[in-house]
Each structure stands twice: as structure tokens, then as C-alpha cells.
Amino acid sequence: MWPDEYAYLLNDAEEVELHIPPAAQDAAATEKTMARKALKARITQQDFEKIWPLAEARYRPNGRFSGKAITLITTNPHYKNWHPSDGGSVESVSDSGRRYTTSYVVVHFLLDDVREPVEA
């Protein structure tokens, strides 16, 4: 299960479709691009560093994505174009008047339907 303490990271995630070209060395390289459903989220650099250990493994989230499985893409060569990327930064001023910068990262989670086996 996706840890509840990180559920808020998926609140503003948008569903997108990744179009993955076949790898040149694959035997099926003559096939057309493959489409995969994914979630695209813009999260803080600090949050990304917390969820980094959860990368490349499947998790089942609760909430609006229950019944699905997600996999955070970080280093998989097949999904190189969707590895974490710069999400910009926001300049802010704290209540004490001190300026600070919050850095963001754009991440992608593969999104799959989960099918549970049912005993007859």
C-alpha cells in the first residue's frame, strides 16, 4: 500500500498518457509506440527526497486512485523521458519577513488497473 503520510502528494496529480517508443535493441522494435497511463505530479524537492526510496516498486494508493497501482519512475531506461525533472521554484516570504525558495520536481507514476483474483 502507498503510505498514508504521502497520500497528499497524489491529490493534485493529473492523469496523462505516456507514448513510449520501442527500444532500438528490442526484437519488437518494428512495433509502434506503446501507450501507458501515468500520473504526473509537481511536488516539492523535499517531498521527492522522502519518497525516493519508494521508487520503482508498485504501490496501491487509497482515495481517488483506489483500485489502481502506481510506480514512481526514477531511473528506468525505458521511461527516460519521464524521469523526475525540474518543476521550477517559488520565492516566498515567511511570517517573520525572511525570504525563502521552495524548489519543485515534476514526477511521473505509472498507473495500472489492479485485478484481484476471485475464487469461484
Side-chain angles (χ1 to χ4, degrees):
M1 296 298 289
W2 182 251
D4 287 336
E5 65 262 29
Y6 301 128
Y8 69 94
L9 297 175
L10 303 176
N11 287 346
D12 295 326
E14 68 174 293
E15 287 191 49
V16 296
E17 195 166 280
L18 308 181
H19 297 281
I20 300 121
Q25 67 271 20
D26 284 350
T30 58
E31 292 181 19
K32 295 181 181 177
T33 61
M34 181 176 71
R36 289 287 308 263
K37 288 183 183 178
L39 295 177
K40 179 181 177 181
R42 183 176 180 243
I43 63 174
T44 65
Q45 176 74 34
Q46 185 178 11
D47 285 336
F48 176 69
E49 290 169 5
K50 290 178 188 173
I51 65 169
W52 172 261
L54 305 177
E56 307 294 342
R58 281 183 87 189
Y59 292 92
R60 295 183 60 184
N62 291 318
R64 81 178 168 142
F65 297 111
S66 70
K68 306 275 186 186
I70 59 172
T71 306
L72 176 62
I73 300 170
T74 56
T75 59
N76 187 319
H78 294 290
Y79 302 104
K80 172 179 84 148
N81 296 336
W82 300 280
H83 289 179
S85 61
D86 182 23
S89 60
V90 174
E91 297 285 332
S92 302
V93 179
S94 69
D95 293 339
S96 65
R98 201 164 194 188
R99 298 181 81 60
Y100 66 95
T101 303
T102 304
S103 298
Y104 289 88
V105 177
V106 175
V107 296
H108 286 82
F109 296 85
L110 293 178
L111 182 65
D112 299 301
D113 288 323
V114 176
R115 293 184 180 88
E116 297 288 335
V118 177
E119 294 184 30

